[in-house]
Every structure is written in C-alpha cells, then in structure tokens.
Amino acid sequence: MSSMVLARKYRPHSFEAMVGQGHVVQALSNALTQQRLHHAYLFTGTRGVGKTTVSRILAKSLNCVGLDGTGGITAHPCGQCQPCRDIDSGRFVDYVELDAASNRGVEEISQLLDQSVYKPVVGRFKVYMIDEVHMLTNHAFNAMLKTLEEPPDYLKFVLATTDPQKVPVTVLSRCLQFNLRPMAMQTVQDHLQQVMASEAISAEPGALSLLARAARGSMRDALSLTDQAIAFGGGSLLEANVRQMLGAVDRQHIQKIIESVSAADGAGLVATVDALRELGLSASGTLEELATALQRMAVIQAVPQAADASDPDAALWQSLAGMLAPDETQLFYSLALQGRAELALAPDEYSGLLMLLLRLLAFKPAQAGQHTGDRAAPSPKAESSGAARPAPEPVQRGPAKPAPEVPQGVPPWEVLPDQAYEAGNAEPDSPPVEAPALVGESPAPAPAPQPVAAALPDDPLSDRWAQLVAQMAARNSITALVRELAMQAQCVASMEEGGGSRWRLRVERESLRGDMHRERLAQALSQLLEHTAVIELEGGAAVNTPAQRDQAARERRQRAAEDLIQRDPLVVSALAQYPGARIVAGSIRPV
C-alpha cells in the first residue's frame, strides 16, 4: 500500500488552512463576503507558495452549495458538498486547469475559449485556471484578450505564473494581481512541526530548521524534503541525518572559521578547509552558513534586543559576536556573499573557498578600535602553527630621519620600541606600535621616543574631514569598505558650489576607489551635511588620513601607558629588588 506524499496530503482545502499568505487570503475573503468579484485574477510567486491551491479554493468558494444544497458564494467553502469534493479530486467539469507550458499555442487557447460561450454544466461559475501563463505565445495572448476583458458573467479566469515580467501588459491590465510571497523560514518550520505532530513522527528542532532553510520559501519543497528526510532517517527526523542528507555544513566548522579569523590563525583556516574537503561538504554551502552566522552576529552587535532568544544556537552567536568588531562582521559578510559567485571561476571549489577565507585575513581592517589595532598578541596555538599575521598598513611619516644611536651601556632589551625598530634591531614584521617595552636592571634612562603624531602636519582641511568621518561612523551611515575608504582618504580640496559642496580625496589603495564605494560615501556625507556633496577620488600616497590619526592617537596612549608603568615606584622597586626581573613583553595596554 503506497502512502500519499506530504505535499499532496497536507495541501490546504480552505483559506483558513493556508499559511504565509495572509494578505492574499484577507483580500479574497473580503471580496467573496461582500460579493465584489473580479472576472480575472493573476497569482504570481515562486514555486510551491500556493498559487494552484488558492485557485482551487477560490473555485470552491464560487461553486459551494453547502451541505443542504442551498448555499451561495462564500469565503468558507464547506468541503463536503459535491462541487467541493469534485474540485478537490479534479473531476469538476466546470473547473478547467490548463498547463500553458505544454499547451502554449493559439490552437489550444482558441479551443478553450470556444467552450466559454456555454453556461456551466453543474456549477454556478465556470473557472478557467491557466498555470504558467507566461509560457503562452504572443498569438495565444492576443487570442484571449477580448474574452479576458469582457467574459460572460458566469466565467472567471485565474492565471498563475512564476515570471510575471513575461506576461504582456495588455493581460496584466485586465487582471486583479496578487503576489504570493516566499514564506518565512520560521513559518515553514512551524508548519512542518504541526505536520510531524499529525504524522506522529519525532523530529528534532534543528532538523526542521535545516529543512525550512533548504526550502527557500517554498512550502512544497519543504514537505518534499521532509518526505526524503523521513525515508533517509528510517521514520524519524534527526538533525545529524538531515544535515548529512542535505550536505549542510555543521556549525562547529563555522565556529572554527570565525575563531581562526579572529585569532589571525591562517593554519587553522587551512586545516578547516581540509576537513571540509575530506567530509565532501559543499564550499558554497560553507559560505552560505558563514554568511548566516555573520548575519546573526551582526544583529547581536547592532541590536542585541532583536536577537532570537528561542534560537538553540543563541549562546554560540553571542560568544562569536564578541570576537569581531561590528565593521569586521559587516565586511566579512559582504566577502562571503561575493565569494559564492567566485567559486565557479576557481580551479576547484575548495581552493576558491580557501582563498576567500584567507582574504578575510588580508582585508582585516587595520583601524577597528579595540578589536584590531589594540588586539592582544595572537594565541600560542597560532604562533606555533606558523600562521602569518596580516601586516598593518604603514603609517605615513615625515621625512626620513637617521637612525638614532643606542646609548652606550644600555642593554638591548631596554631600548624603546621606535629606537629598536629604526636602528634595525626589531623584527621586520613587527610594527613599532606592537613592539614590547622591556625594562631591565640598568639605571640608565632611555631617550624619549618621538611620537608619530608629531610627523602629521597641522591641516585644518584634514581636521575637518576627520571630524566628518567620525560623525558618519557614529551614525552608522558608513560601514565595511565604505568606512574603510573614508578612513584611508586624505582630503586635498573642498569647495562650496551651487548650494552644495565638492570634495577631492586622495586614496592610495585602488580597490577602495570604486564608483560604488564613492557614491555611497557621497550619499552618507550629503545626509550629514544636509546638502548635495560630490566626491572625487584620485590615486596617490595619502597622508594625515583619519586612519593615521587614529593610529597616532593609539601610539600616544600606548607610550603614555608604558611611561607610566616604567616610572611607577613599585615597578622600579621590584625591578631593583629582583635581579633579572623584567616587564613581560606586550603586557602593557592603555586603559
């Protein structure tokens, strides 16, 4: 004995049973109740959202006679009378469903219209339902225009299509159009939960969530996938089985990716991609799951109260959200979305995935506050694995100065960061702001360092631009690459013209000088200034940028903190009391 598939078994038979299309149900129900009926309806929407179902319910509403046979047009068909049962079973002679994909010529439409001159045989109305109407030829559309505009009182047209753009405007103007929307993931998941309860099948919430997401707004796809998952799991829906069936990437892999990016652990990213390759998981699916995780993190970072507390992974998203700065999360989300389109161009999808993940490290913003410039040293795991740390962009300095001489008698570990760096004693990949300040037993004082801020010239125009960028960032009107463009730009000219303003910015990185980023920055600046602002970009080395100013301010705070610790009486006393004592490298951070 064969069972009926879930998509057919649980097809709604009344407006009340439909889910996710409340706007269509309300309009049709009110029209039926008030007897304000149109002669032609057009239902649009993607596959599996209820276009054919609405058509059948509408046909039953128009032809229902009730259990006693005296009923009239109603928004609540009984489902028990002969017309209702015949429409549900597809045997109602006055309800005709025509598949325009296989009957698209003028001959088929003319034959259908020839029957329209005859009154209904058993029903109150004749209902012609033409599915995938956009597949009809131009001649077929032209043949039905006159009848579609002025049909007999007893004839109703119901057209359905997944591509309304291909339907001629002459047809659209003769129809009452309803757009059936793709269903929300939570709506699909709740409906699947009810179906599983009716079927007495145990289902884990995580499994239903995966099925609802894979359906992409289509209830029919969700029920079909559920049928497949039940067969795959032997009569139950377990999250592990559904994930294996769909080839979905486990959230643990996504967690490892985000943790590796946060710790600048390139070796960890390579290991994760190798693990995904061994499991045969989709690279595109990995980026989709990564984008989903970043979206959840962005919501927690921007609007914590809007986070879904019922999400079983809410604690995981909360912990991951603290690992990245908000602008990093936005940037990585954009890169993950763009990376899915680039996978087809890669030699193979896993090499494309690896390059995209390494790009997250390369594009890590250099000026992202506490999460980037003030980031603590990488974990021992990252250092032992040999992961390369992304080099920060060099700070533009003034004219080159000769390297200062190290005072005689001062041990190397007492040399201040800038002296060691400029004298060639520091490691090549260690920027001066990250070099640790070490203090030994020698009482000889080290020369005072020269702050980078002193090399930045005083420029009222740069001061004004830095203030504007700070205001736009505070209003969240610039994010991700647009914010990076503003931070890395030097304002070289500004003028008022025609009730607006024109700004010329110099940006060194070519990747930031795109038209889309420039237009978005101009739009944000116009909103801030409350007039039209035009931005022009030019290439070249940029100096005195907001990013460099932030870097200089961090250096000043760092040096002040180091100076405070080195001059602290308790520290000086402890270093003198315990031979060989020193300040741990990188342990001094400004509050």
Side-chain angles (χ1 to χ4, degrees):
M1 179 179 178
S2 61
S3 60
M4 184 179 295
V5 297
L6 296 178
R8 293 183 59 190
K9 184 176 181 179
Y10 289 94
R11 180 191 290 271
H13 296 289
S14 65
F15 286 128
E16 291 80 6
M18 289 197 66
V19 295
Q21 307 297 345
H23 62 295
V24 176
V25 170
Q26 179 179 349
L28 293 178
S29 298
N30 291 340
L32 290 166
T33 301
Q34 300 173 9
Q35 304 289 301
R36 299 180 63 88
L37 302 176
H38 203 270
H39 59 268
Y41 297 86
L42 175 63
F43 297 124
T44 66
T46 187
R47 77 275 178 266
V49 294
K51 299 185 296 296
T52 303
T53 297
V54 171
S55 172
R56 293 181 181 179
I57 297 175
L58 179 60
K60 289 194 297 184
S61 298
L62 295 172
N63 290 284
C64 179
V65 296
L67 294 176
D68 57 1
T70 62
I73 299 174
T74 176
H76 309 284
C78 66
Q80 302 298 323
C81 64
Q82 191 65 37
C84 288
R85 294 200 307 269
D86 288 346
I87 292 175
D88 285 335
S89 60
R91 297 192 304 266
F92 194 63
V93 68
D94 292 321
Y95 176 69
V96 180
E97 287 189 3
L98 179 69
D99 179 19
S102 55
N103 300 276
R104 57 193 305 265
V106 67
E107 295 83 4
E108 290 84 355
I109 293 298
S110 297
Q111 183 178 359
L112 181 68
L113 296 177
D114 288 343
Q115 303 299 320
S116 65
V117 298
Y118 302 106
K119 290 188 176 182
V121 177
V122 294
R124 187 180 297 114
F125 290 94
K126 271 189 175 183
V127 180
Y128 286 170
M129 194 278 182
I130 305 178
D131 200 7
E132 298 300 337
V133 69
H134 67 275
M135 299 291 288
L136 292 177
T137 65
N138 289 333
H139 294 297
F141 275 122
N142 292 332
M144 65 183 295
L145 284 181
K146 187 59 178 177
T147 306
L148 185 64
E149 182 177 6
E150 296 180 357
D153 293 340
Y154 52 79
L155 179 61
K156 302 296 181 184
F157 281 95
V158 178
L159 312 181
T161 178
T162 55
D163 194 354
Q165 303 297 329
K166 295 182 179 179
V167 179
V169 292
T170 52
V171 174
L172 296 176
S173 65
R174 290 166 167 82
C175 299
L176 203 61
Q177 184 172 346
F178 295 93
N179 181 29
L180 280 72
R181 304 164 184 164
M183 299 185 192
M185 175 181 164
Q186 189 60 46
T187 301
V188 177
Q189 182 175 347
D190 293 342
H191 187 66
L192 291 181
Q193 182 68 50
Q194 296 176 6
V195 171
M196 292 300 96
S198 301
E199 293 288 314
I201 296 177
S202 61
E204 294 182 352
L208 297 180
S209 177
L210 288 172
L211 292 171
R213 184 188 305 172
R216 299 188 181 279
S218 171
M219 187 64 75
R220 182 175 61 226
D221 287 4
L223 293 171
S224 298
L225 287 172
T226 303
D227 260 328
Q228 182 180 353
I230 293 173
F232 185 87
S236 62
L237 290 179
L238 302 179
E239 181 178 358
N241 291 340
V242 173
R243 192 177 293 277
Q244 181 181 358
M245 182 194 78
L246 297 175
V249 179
D250 191 274
R251 64 182 65 87
Q252 294 180 355
H253 296 293
I254 304 302
Q255 180 180 0
K256 291 179 182 177
I257 289 175
I258 296 176
E259 291 175 347
S260 298
V261 171
S262 174
D265 183 7
L269 292 177
V270 175
T272 302
V273 173
D274 290 341
L276 293 171
R277 186 196 302 267
E278 293 177 359
L279 294 173
L281 298 177
S282 167
S284 178
T286 302
L287 294 181
E288 181 179 355
E289 293 290 337
L290 177 60
T292 301
L294 292 170
Q295 182 266 331
R296 303 281 178 86
M297 294 163 54
V299 171
I300 293 175
Q301 291 171 343
V303 193
Q305 63 272 20
D308 185 5
S310 63
D311 186 353
D313 299 324
L316 174 62
W317 308 135
Q318 184 72 38
S319 63
L320 294 178
M323 297 183 180
L324 298 176
D327 56 347
E328 288 181 321
T329 305
Q330 296 289 341
L331 174 60
F332 296 162
Y333 177 80
S334 298
L335 292 176
L337 293 184
Q338 297 172 5
R340 295 182 65 188
E342 298 177 3
L343 289 179
L345 305 176
D348 64 83
E349 65 174 7
Y350 291 105
S351 63
L353 174 62
L354 178 58
M355 286 300 297
L356 185 278
L357 296 182
L358 294 178
R359 191 182 306 165
L360 301 185
L361 297 182
F363 276 81
K364 214 167 176 57
Q367 288 80 23
Q370 186 68 22
H371 291 272
T372 51
D374 296 337
R375 185 182 287 109
S379 62
K381 176 182 177 182
E383 293 179 352
S384 63
S385 63
R389 295 175 56 190
E393 295 186 1
V395 177
Q396 299 291 338
R397 300 175 179 266
K401 299 179 180 180
E405 297 182 359
V406 178
Q408 297 292 332
V410 179
W413 55 82
E414 287 193 14
V415 181
L416 290 176
D418 272 2
Q419 290 177 295
Y421 180 73
E422 295 175 358
N425 295 329
E427 295 182 359
D429 61 345
S430 299
V433 295
E434 293 292 336
L438 304 180
V439 180
E441 294 182 285
S442 174
Q450 296 296 326
V452 173
L456 297 178
D458 293 333
D459 182 8
L461 195 57
S462 297
D463 295 341
R464 172 63 172 160
W465 177 247
Q467 294 174 359
L468 293 175
V469 172
Q471 294 175 14
M472 288 187 289
R475 297 170 57 172
N476 289 328
S477 58
I478 53 173
T479 57
L481 291 177
V482 179
R483 180 180 184 275
E484 190 72 5
L485 167 62
M487 294 291 293
Q488 299 291 346
Q490 174 192 359
C491 184
V492 296
S494 173
M495 64 185 69
E496 304 290 335
E497 57 177 22
S501 59
R502 182 176 296 272
W503 302 75
R504 180 178 300 170
L505 306 180
R506 180 177 298 155
V507 183
E508 183 173 5
R509 288 169 55 183
E510 182 178 358
S511 60
L512 295 177
R513 298 199 298 266
D515 290 339
M516 181 179 66
H517 305 325
R518 176 182 56 80
E519 292 174 359
R520 293 178 60 185
L521 179 58
Q523 181 181 5
L525 184 60
S526 299
Q527 294 176 354
L528 177 64
L529 300 177
E530 297 182 350
H531 66 243
T532 302
V534 178
I535 292 180
E536 299 176 352
L537 299 181
E538 63 178 34
V543 297
N544 214 344
T545 66
Q548 295 170 5
R549 288 169 171 262
D550 289 353
Q551 179 76 4
R554 282 194 295 272
E555 289 190 16
R556 288 196 298 270
R557 293 195 300 270
Q558 179 68 27
R559 296 181 192 284
E562 293 174 358
D563 183 69
L564 181 64
I565 293 298
Q566 292 170 356
R567 299 177 185 274
D568 187 272
L570 292 178
V571 175
V572 174
S573 174
L575 293 175
Q577 184 177 358
Y578 299 99
R582 64 186 181 90
I583 298 177
V584 177
S587 63
I588 302 176
R589 293 294 176 194
V591 178

